Amino acid sequence: MYQYDRKGPKRGVALYSYSAEFGLTKTLEDCFEDVHDMGAHGIEILANTHIANYPYPTDEWVENWFRLCDKYEVVPVEYGNWIDSHVLGDRDLTTEESVAMLSRDIRLAHRLGFTVMRTKMPVINDLLEPVKNWREIIKGALPLAEQLNIKMCPEIHTPSNLKGKLVTDFVDFIKETGTKHFGLNIDFSVFRTEFKEGEWVDPNYTPNAPEDIIPLLPYIYCCHAKFINMSEDFRETTIPYPEIIKVMQENGWDGYLLSEYEGADKYDPGYEVGQTLRRHHVMLKNLLGD
Amino acid sequence: MEREVIQSVGFRNIKENGEITGFQFKIRLPYYRGVFLSQLRPGTLFIDGERIEKEDIIWNVKGEDFTVEQMKTDFQTHWDVTCPATLKVKKPGGLAQGYHDLKYGFCFTSSYMPPIIQAHLDPDKENMVFMPEFGHHVNERRMIIV
Amino acid sequence: MLEADVIQYRGFRNIERDGKAVGFQICVRSDYYRGVWLSQLRPGKVVVDGVTYPKEDVIWEINGKDHTVAELAEAGGEFWRITDVATLKIMKDGGLSQGFHDVSVRFAASCSYMPPFLDQFDEDGDDRSFNGGTYTRKNMIIV
């Protein structure tokens, strides 16, 4: 399987970015080639989106998956999954049922060569607090994650704050259990400082300073390099990228920054998100010096 | 697959043992990820203004038929974003040749969204705020039976 | 799947050998309604940011195989399917610089069932014909 040995922050793409084109004008292979054009070597897929016949892909599909990784020099970095414990309308899944769902994804992630999972938690309120039994669910899946060397990472996304209760609870859990198989995915939306005039901003949101990430670095196995607006001269105008990258480099962080574009304009007819991602990768390439 | 949620390919009368027993059409999932069947909230179909209740519509996903009741508890069968579902309606004689106006509503839940948003999901009404990555609940298309 | 434009954003990148950029490549689809035998192709010039690369400098990769324009003219037994791209490769030390580029590619397909006076194409000119012309896409990005 293809390996990319560079140390430090590395470039990748979250295929979520292609959500308005995938299946309509782009196949999975088209997305891989687009990533290859950018010279990026990491990829995040969404299990429930990009795996045909999820959660039970055929052997042929899996074989083709590894063919794509080799052909386009791509490392399977992060497997996006959901603990969908509100999947039934009238009751929540039990802890055992949630563990079973999560374990099925751990096995599939491992089968496809992933080492990190973006494990999206089910929430109970608009502060995005996870379900009460999240610790039990994660503990139930930890032995399997250890056995298959998978790191489960909830995503920390605006309006959450790196110094907030959500993150503190996760870090306390990591310290209590001493686990290396549960960590964090930081979405760079938590660093956003600039908003358009009149744009709605969540009242629960306070931007983090780049250095707020330092104490968390040992627990971060992956980042969503969220970007909102790339200028014509390849600058991100809403998030202090140069400062964030500098902090991560200087503190010896090793892992992938997965470009993720969430702008609603990508659903406009004729929009090619690949062009937007290329702009982002011009910037990242120059900041990382790869 | 067509960009429209209601696909023009797959709209036809259903023939069983030489007799027309109903009609079918296909829809794609306008979400950025697939869903388990219990996440779906199927709604009402209007065909040329005639109302068809959700209980009278069979969903076929990956070649298997499901009633609304069966879908409610099925969190193992997954509907992929790349595979349209076929919706089947019983109607002796089927639809007449010519143009038909279809209007169909459905939506789906997500565990990672605040429950307050989930509680008010109505497949036959649009959300207060339209979010492109969740698509429209109610879709309309005029199509032809040959 | 292909983009609607003849020149594809996807596949536009520098060609690297031993870690060094030695050229660049552009992928095109055919906007004809049927696939063609390679000898039917009338490959023309490529222009990037006003710099013209004559057709003799362009290698056409189709079905995984490289062809010079002279070789294309002889390849009557090989077929370019309508669902595939052709990858045009041009050698250039250092490749193209990082940033935006305006790209034009000129080509056509000849067609036996058209009257010969219509089945004409000037590979080096700028006219459109029924079966081809100069295709342009602006602001293509090299990362």
Side-chain angles (χ1 to χ4, degrees), chain C residues 32-36 40 109-119 130-131:
Chain C
Y32 203 31
Y33 67 90
R34 57 173 181 143
V36 293
Q40 281 177 270
S110 88
C111 174
S112 305
Y113 68 74
M114 291 301 282
F117 81 94
L118 278 178
D119 195 22
F130 78 94
N131 56 356

Side-chain angles (χ1 to χ4, degrees), chain C residues 3 8-9 11 32 35 50 61 70 84 94-95 99 102 104 114 117 119 128 136-137 139 143:
Chain C
E3 297 161 34
Q8 308 283 298
Y9 285 137
Y32 203 31
E61 184 193 319
D84 289 344
D102 294 342
S104 290
M114 291 301 282
F117 81 94
D119 195 22
R128 254 207 82 78
T136 300
R137 206 163 193 187
N139 291 321
V143 175

Side-chain angles (χ1 to χ4, degrees), chain C residues 94-113:
Chain C
L96 294 173
S97 61
Q98 189 179 68
F100 295 105
H101 298 280
D102 294 342
V103 176
S104 290
V105 173
R106 181 166 175 79
F107 69 99
S110 88
C111 174
S112 305
Y113 68 74

Side-chain angles (χ1 to χ4, degrees), chain A residues 125-146:
Chain A
N125 57 30
D126 51 6
L127 292 173
L128 306 181
E129 281 188 81
V131 286
K132 296 280 181 220
N133 60 340
W134 71 266
R135 289 177 182 81
E136 288 71 31
I137 297 173
I138 297 299
K139 275 183 186 160
L142 268 181
L144 183 65
E146 277 167 27

Side-chain angles (χ1 to χ4, degrees), chain C residues 41-95:
Chain C
L41 277 173
R42 297 290 176 267
K45 62 186 174 180
V46 170
V47 181
V48 180
D49 304 324
V51 177
T52 300
Y53 300 87
K55 59 180 183 289
E56 291 76 17
D57 290 356
V58 183
I59 297 292
W60 286 64
E61 184 193 319
I62 295 172
N63 300 331
K65 197 175 151 194
D66 285 350
H67 306 267
T68 64
V69 294
E71 287 163 350
L72 285 176
E74 303 287 318
E78 286 182 62
F79 198 68
W80 182 20
R81 278 178 295 276
I82 201 75
T83 46
D84 289 344
V85 294
T87 305
L88 277 59
K89 301 193 260 192
I90 294 174
M91 292 300 118
K92 178 184 190 302
D93 268 353

Side-chain angles (χ1 to χ4, degrees), chain A residues 11 23-27 30 33-34 36-38 232 234 272 275 278-279 281-282 285-286, chain C residues 1-4 9-13 16 25 27 98-100 137-143:
Chain A
R11 292 190 288 134
L24 294 176
T25 56
K26 277 195 171 60
T27 63
D30 295 337
E33 183 171 5
D34 226 26
H36 182 58
D37 285 346
M38 298 170 212
E232 291 285 315
F234 310 114
E272 292 273 357
Q275 290 302 97
R278 278 170 178 75
R279 288 188 187 206
H281 275 257
V282 168
K285 185 179 183 181
N286 295 346
Chain C
M1 287 179 238
L2 304 177
E3 297 161 34
Y9 285 137
R10 190 170 62 252
F12 180 59
R13 59 177 180 263
E16 288 191 11
Q25 66 169 52
C27 291
Q98 189 179 68
F100 295 105
R137 206 163 193 187
K138 291 181 185 289
N139 291 321
M140 308 260 302
I141 302 173
I142 290 282
V143 175

Side-chain angles (χ1 to χ4, degrees), chain A residues 16 19-20 22-24 46 48-49 52-54 82 84-89 104 120-125 267, chain B residues 1-3 32-34 36 38-39 41 62 72-73 75-76 78 80-82 111-115 132-133:
Chain A
Y16 159 80
S19 58
F22 179 71
L24 294 176
L46 302 179
N48 308 35
T49 307
N53 209 36
Y54 171 83
W82 285 261
D84 263 314
S85 56
H86 310 320
V87 68
L88 294 168
R104 184 172 64 193
K120 198 84 173 168
M121 294 277 185
V123 306
I124 53 169
N125 57 30
Y267 285 89
Chain B
M1 223 165 42
E2 300 154 40
R3 188 166 287 276
Y32 69 85
R33 61 165 184 149
F36 293 100
S38 60
Q39 284 174 267
R41 296 292 176 268
K62 293 194 240 188
K72 262 187 201 161
T73 53
F75 65 98
Q76 303 296 340
H78 192 257
D80 291 6
V81 289
T82 48
S111 301
Y112 66 87
M113 294 294 283
E133 74 177 22

Side-chain angles (χ1 to χ4, degrees), chain A residues 104-165:
Chain A
R104 184 172 64 193
D105 278 309
I106 291 174
R107 288 194 192 92
L108 185 46
H110 175 71
R111 185 176 166 204
L112 300 179
F114 287 93
T115 50
V116 179
M117 281 167 59
R118 190 256 18 217
T119 297
K120 198 84 173 168
M121 294 277 185
V123 306
I124 53 169
N125 57 30
D126 51 6
L127 292 173
L128 306 181
E129 281 188 81
V131 286
K132 296 280 181 220
N133 60 340
W134 71 266
R135 289 177 182 81
E136 288 71 31
I137 297 173
I138 297 299
K139 275 183 186 160
L142 268 181
L144 183 65
E146 277 167 27
Q147 186 196 328
L148 301 180
N149 193 27
I150 294 278
K151 297 168 191 308
M152 297 177 276
C153 299
E155 177 191 26
I156 310 304
H157 188 285
T158 181
S160 302
N161 190 286
L162 299 182
K163 294 174 167 174
K165 179 177 182 305

